[in-house]
Amino acid sequence: MQEISMKPTARIYDFSELQKKKRQRELREKRPFFITGVVLIISLLCISFFLYFGDSVVEAQEPTTDIQYKVVEIKAGDSLWSIAKENMSDELNHSGFTDIYQYINEIKKCNNMKSNQINAGCYLMVPYYK
């Protein structure tokens, strides 16, 4: 009998490596489209956010008239309370201040004061609105 040789004639390929390389190549080809899609989605979200919330601007309540200042000399016995009370009832002052504490704080803010202490002979700027 003839001896049959069992030499491998065909080479066995590892198809898993080929599939990995093919998948990597496909991902590289799709990457620009993915990045473009992500940028487009983020842009659309930003535009819709600004369109939705852009009109809801909160406006502070401001006096309807221009603010003016007058200078008041502090006399002996004056306090911020008495100066505020005198100038709040002034006919020139249409500021809308209904609370004297609020007006005193406005006077302190205008004069960059940290305390309520005032001295006779000094001057204060007192706000009023036309």
Side-chain angles (χ1 to χ4, degrees):
M1 237 186 170
Q2 220 178 10
E3 204 174 297
I4 300 176
S5 170
M6 297 297 266
K7 290 183 182 178
T9 56
R11 197 169 196 191
I12 299 175
Y13 287 104
D14 187 11
F15 287 106
S16 64
E17 278 298 317
L18 289 175
Q19 288 174 340
K20 279 184 185 178
K21 288 181 181 179
K22 182 180 177 185
R23 178 75 179 141
Q24 287 174 350
R25 187 177 65 244
E26 287 173 352
L27 289 175
R28 272 194 311 268
E29 290 172 356
K30 292 179 183 178
R31 189 174 295 150
F33 297 110
F34 177 74
I35 292 172
T36 305
V38 168
V39 169
L40 184 64
I41 289 172
I42 291 173
S43 300
L44 288 174
L45 286 172
C46 288
I47 289 171
S48 62
F49 177 80
F50 287 116
L51 287 176
Y52 184 74
F53 290 109
D55 292 337
S56 61
V57 175
V58 177
E59 293 182 18
Q61 291 180 348
E62 295 181 17
T64 56
T65 57
D66 294 330
I67 188 168
Q68 302 289 320
Y69 297 95
K70 66 179 178 179
V71 178
V72 176
E73 183 178 2
I74 302 171
K75 299 176 187 123
D78 278 348
S79 65
L80 281 177
W81 180 277
S82 64
I83 292 171
K85 190 172 181 182
E86 180 181 319
N87 289 290
M88 250 181 98
S89 63
D90 191 12
E91 292 178 11
L92 294 174
N93 190 13
H94 300 290
S95 63
F97 287 110
T98 55
D99 184 16
I100 195 162
Y101 296 108
Q102 185 183 14
Y103 192 62
I104 289 172
N105 286 331
E106 185 72 19
I107 292 172
K108 286 173 63 174
K109 190 167 84 171
C110 291
N111 292 284
N112 199 18
M113 296 172 61
K114 295 188 191 291
S115 71
N116 292 337
Q117 175 136 8
I118 56 174
N119 298 318
C122 295
Y123 294 92
L124 281 178
M125 284 192 319
V126 179
Y128 70 94
Y129 301 87
K130 274 190 172 180

